[in-house]
């Protein structure tokens, strides 16, 4: 729905839950670095260098895990150590 996406765009701009450069996770398949926020959608870059376009209404209607929101430190969950 374009009207819902456009309204959600203003919610994103006013509340600022995400910004360009944030690493976000919405669900198991929708996660990545925010590259662009448009009136219709949010463009995410995934780890494998693919881009995913997520409608703004989907972003505002689902819980978001934002790893960069207000963090100035590294948590132990951020570091993965693999020993072969």
């Amino acid at each position: 729905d374009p009207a819902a996406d456009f309204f959600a765009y203003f919610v994103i701009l006013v509340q600022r839950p995400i910004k360009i450069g944030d690493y976000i996770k919405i669900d198991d398949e929708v996660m990545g670095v925010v590259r662009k926020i448009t009136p219709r959608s949010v463009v995410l870059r995934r780890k494998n260098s693919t881009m995913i376009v997520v409608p703004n209404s989907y972003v505002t209607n689902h819980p978001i895990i934002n790893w960069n929101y207000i963090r100035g430190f590294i948590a132990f969950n951020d570091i993965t150590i693999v020993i072969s």
Side-chain angles (χ1 to χ4, degrees):
D1 184 23
D5 290 333
F6 194 69
F7 179 73
Y9 174 66
F10 286 110
V11 171
I12 291 171
L13 289 180
V14 171
Q15 289 185 348
R16 304 290 288 174
I18 60 172
K19 63 183 184 307
I20 294 174
D22 286 353
Y23 182 80
I24 65 169
K25 178 179 178 182
I26 299 174
D27 58 33
D28 289 335
E29 286 114 25
V30 182
M31 67 181 90
V33 177
V34 178
R35 302 305 283 168
K36 185 191 275 187
I37 301 171
T38 68
R40 177 99 173 138
S41 61
V42 173
V43 178
L44 301 176
R45 182 179 177 273
R46 300 173 93 181
K47 287 184 178 181
N48 59 0
S49 297
T50 59
M51 301 298 241
I52 182 168
V53 179
V54 183
N56 288 335
S57 58
Y58 188 82
V59 173
T60 57
N61 291 328
H62 291 84
I64 299 172
I65 298 172
N66 187 342
W67 290 94
N68 301 95
Y69 190 61
I70 304 180
R71 286 185 29 170
F73 63 91
I74 297 174
F76 287 110
N77 291 341
D78 296 344
I79 302 169
T80 304
I81 299 173
V82 178
I83 301 172
S84 55

